[in-house]
Amino acid sequence: MTQVGEGPRAAGSAAGALGGLAIGDVLAERYRLEEHVNDDSAGRQVWRGVDIVLRRPVALVLRTPGGAAAEEMLSAAVTASRVVHGNLIGVYDAIDEGERAYVIREWIDGTALRDLVAEEGPFDAERTTSVLHAVADAVSALHASGMAHGNVHPGTVLVAADGRVVLADARVDSTTSNEADVRSLGALAYFMLTGHWPRAEAGRTTALADARRDSTGSLVAPRNVRAGVPTYLDDLVMDLLDPKLALPTAQVLTGELARLDTGERLLFGGNGTLRFADESAAPEPAPRAATPRLMVAGGVALALVVSGLVLAVRALNADATEPSTLRPTPNVTAEASATPAPQPQAIKLRADQVRIVAPVKDRDNEKQAPNMVDGNPKTLWQTTGYKWSNFGNTTKKGIGILIMLDKPQLVSSVTLQLSAPGTSATLLGGSAAAPDSRAGDKTIVDTYQQVAGSQAFGKDSGTTIVFSTDASTQYQYLLVWITDLPRDPGESDYPYRVGVQEIAVEVQ
């Protein structure tokens, strides 16, 4: 199990030995050390611990000394804590004690991407696209907040046991930039496809094996390293790593990867190219029209052609001082060159836009509901304790969180940051509110329907639940309906409960 991977050593942050720490030590009167997991490339210790106040597992990243030497680590943690996203590690606390400093963040029960590839070998195109899409989405969310990650690397991408992909360990130094992050996404894809890391192109020193190179020292394309890499993915990776070509933004890259990430087994053949073309190159044959998703029939895949990426990147670079190195794809239809669909945008929820719904018995700790939208993951709304995980399976069948938007909107996702894994929940939606009363709560639960495209989560859920939708129906009222609670190991008489730290809603 790897909780912080082998990223670049941050400038001026070589940490000394953190002696004197032992299992059972409690830091900040709150975080008990349970297990020393590993040390990262900057010499920082990584521990698995327990938050004895909220009774949840946490990861602690410690370095010495604190003070000015730890400013980069703490600053990056504080900034990252303000961005709530399903593919970003949850940062809970950052503490400077002078002689040492440490960051408290979400514990992920999983493995670093670096270790997965080492154990299982290079990924196929489908898995590469899916992981890259998740990491690019996380990077895009950081960039939208005004922050670059600065440490996108196979050791900082964690794959949880439940399949969730999480980007961790952001760093801020003189080399950090949005462009470097996007370049590193290309390097990440190269690593997943080949098992090698392109050091020179990614600008990162690492112990991973360098990428394959020809007699001139030039990077060898993934499809020349191993068979089975589709042309469009090979071209995308090589263009992202080509310093002569302009880079797309993380947002544009995420949008195009979303078209490719179907979540189904892909059979590749006849694919159009997905790349940022050089103007001096010979024109390529016109691609066939884009299709909304890859269709598989009779063992032959109809390839998804993403000509919109070239056009989108060209448009975004139209005002640059340097002329664009991109050329438009020949014979593109008017439909294919239309303005790309808008990207999801997070909305800021107010305290009066959330309340607790319980058709029978109590609305557990309902006065705490505003804590879920205050931007502070250390505050939360928490259910009361129950003897059974399913509320007793008698009259009380569950408890809900009602989210009331200002107007009907196309909702892309609803994300919950929870105090513990193992919560069963469903996302419901409706077109009308109901009175703030027991009768109104019953009306909501009886009439709201599951949001189109959303997935119900069961007892194998993690500490972050992301309800993604198909964004085809407008909703003004959303209900997160919780039907099963995790066990709190610190309680005996009424051991089942959960806390919701933050809720984030994205709309089109």
Side-chain angles (χ1 to χ4, degrees), residues 202-223:
R204 295 286 188 268
T205 57
T206 172
L208 293 174
D210 190 17
R212 300 284 179 84
R213 301 187 181 277
D214 61 20
S215 59
T216 68
S218 298
L219 190 67
V220 173
R223 64 183 173 186

Side-chain angles (χ1 to χ4, degrees), residues 122-123 125 189-190 192-195 212 219-239 271-275 284:
F123 290 179
Y190 191 99
M192 286 187 281
L193 291 169
T194 68
R212 300 284 179 84
L219 190 67
V220 173
R223 64 183 173 186
N224 292 329
V225 176
R226 60 183 285 252
V229 177
T231 300
Y232 77 89
L233 189 56
D234 186 272
D235 288 340
L236 171 63
V237 171
M238 292 301 287
D239 283 354
N271 294 63
T273 182
L274 172 64
R275 67 180 306 158
E284 297 183 8

Side-chain angles (χ1 to χ4, degrees), residues 31 51 58-61 90-95 102-106:
Y31 305 109
D51 181 339
V58 295
L60 297 90
V61 183
V91 180
Y92 304 145
D93 213 345
I95 298 172
Y102 42 97
V103 172
I104 314 299
R105 62 165 174 78
E106 180 183 6

Side-chain angles (χ1 to χ4, degrees), residues 61 71 95 98 176 198 240 260 267 369 396 430 500:
V61 183
E71 183 176 349
I95 298 172
T176 302
L240 288 174
L260 296 172
L267 302 176
K396 192 166 189 175
V500 180

Side-chain angles (χ1 to χ4, degrees), residues 37-61:
V37 178
N38 68 336
D39 296 338
D40 74 352
S41 64
R44 303 177 303 183
Q45 286 191 3
V46 184
W47 287 75
R48 177 177 59 83
V50 172
D51 181 339
I52 60 177
V53 175
L54 296 180
R55 295 185 175 90
R56 64 179 175 187
V58 295
L60 297 90
V61 183

